Amino acid sequence: THWNRGEAFISLGILHMLWYPGGVAETYRQTFPDFVRFSRTRGQSPPAWIEDALTTGCPWPDRDAFYGQFDSDLARSLRAFLGRTTALQAAFAHRRLVAGLGPLLDQAHLPRRLHLTLKIFLLGRSTGGVFALIDYVNFKGEGLSPKERYRGQGWGLLQVLEAMSPPTSSQAALEGFVEAAKGVLTTRVANAPDPAKERRWLPGWHKRLDTYLEPLEGL
């Protein structure tokens, strides 16, 4: 459980799922309520107070309030729920990617759709490419929400795929994906209402993208 300085939402679990307090406008898609509903379908019931709060929002109004009650019974039960559902959180991220690919491809006319499909196919064949797709959607979204735009430009999976050069191999697809993602996120920072505020995140974002190129343990 973590609440970054300057953010209006808490970040939860291994996926850093977003949960907004009640009455706060959602700039980004909040995923924790979606995960709670998903976990129920897999036989994991959250504490009753979480169920109740799905309609009212995160019970802490801001970062100071959360850290002031970091060791409260409420916060402890939240961490216990997250701790016992880590495998489900990974499954939820995979499900989100699969569910989002159809709508993503539907955004494109046929020739462009074929190019996007080829990039996804080659990425899926590379070592680490499936992880890259799953993680990037969890990290920065599908790129379909009109809310997730600065100056009309998004930064999700769709925008990264469109920015990729045509790959000649699966490994080239993975390398091209990382390069394109870095460019898309750099553009996001430049377009942000307060570029200085977001620029501090850019080195960490790029470092995260570089992990897609590292050999996966056990493969």
Side-chain angles (χ1 to χ4, degrees):
T1 55
H2 185 71
W3 200 310
N4 287 321
R5 292 185 184 278
E7 292 184 336
F9 49 81
I10 193 170
S11 299
L12 301 171
I14 63 172
L15 304 177
H16 295 186
M17 297 174 287
L18 276 57
W19 196 14
Y20 281 89
V24 176
E26 295 179 29
T27 303
Y28 312 114
R29 175 180 171 180
Q30 62 170 353
T31 47
F32 181 66
D34 291 338
F35 170 71
V36 172
R37 288 185 277 268
F38 172 78
S39 70
R40 286 201 306 259
T41 69
R42 298 300 190 273
Q44 281 288 347
S45 298
W49 73 264
I50 293 180
E51 291 277 11
D52 294 340
L54 290 184
T55 57
T56 57
C58 172
W60 298 282
D62 52 39
R63 185 179 189 274
D64 289 343
F66 171 68
Y67 282 109
Q69 301 176 35
F70 191 78
D71 289 320
S72 65
D73 291 342
L74 224 61
R76 287 177 183 271
S77 66
L78 174 59
R79 284 191 287 274
F81 171 66
L82 294 167
R84 70 172 183 267
T85 58
T86 53
L88 277 182
Q89 292 168 48
F92 173 71
H94 177 263
R95 180 178 176 273
R96 180 179 175 183
L97 169 67
V98 173
L101 287 179
L104 184 151
L105 293 172
D106 286 344
Q107 296 291 309
H109 295 298
L110 186 58
R112 180 165 153 254
R113 188 183 307 165
L114 292 174
H115 288 301
L116 294 175
T117 302
L118 176 61
K119 291 174 181 178
I120 293 169
F121 172 75
L122 289 175
L123 274 167
R125 293 191 54 170
S126 68
T127 301
V130 172
F131 168 70
L133 288 167
I134 292 172
D135 185 71
Y136 195 83
V137 168
N138 175 67
F139 175 35
K140 290 301 176 192
E142 296 87 351
L144 304 178
S145 173
K147 291 182 179 180
E148 296 181 345
R149 301 275 192 279
Y150 290 155
R151 299 186 184 181
Q153 295 187 51
W155 49 77
L157 178 61
L158 175 61
Q159 288 76 36
V160 175
L161 291 172
E162 289 179 330
M164 284 175 62
S165 300
T168 56
S169 67
S170 57
Q171 184 59 30
L174 182 58
E175 294 170 358
F177 182 83
V178 171
E179 181 180 1
K182 288 181 178 180
V184 164
L185 292 180
T186 300
T187 299
R188 165 185 160 145
V189 170
N191 288 338
D194 185 355
K197 180 180 177 180
E198 294 215 2
R199 192 172 294 117
R200 62 191 173 123
W201 302 113
L202 198 55
W205 291 347
H206 283 193
K207 185 176 180 179
R208 179 170 181 161
L209 295 171
D210 284 335
T211 66
Y212 300 167
L213 300 174
E214 297 174 0
L216 297 182
E217 186 176 346
L219 295 180

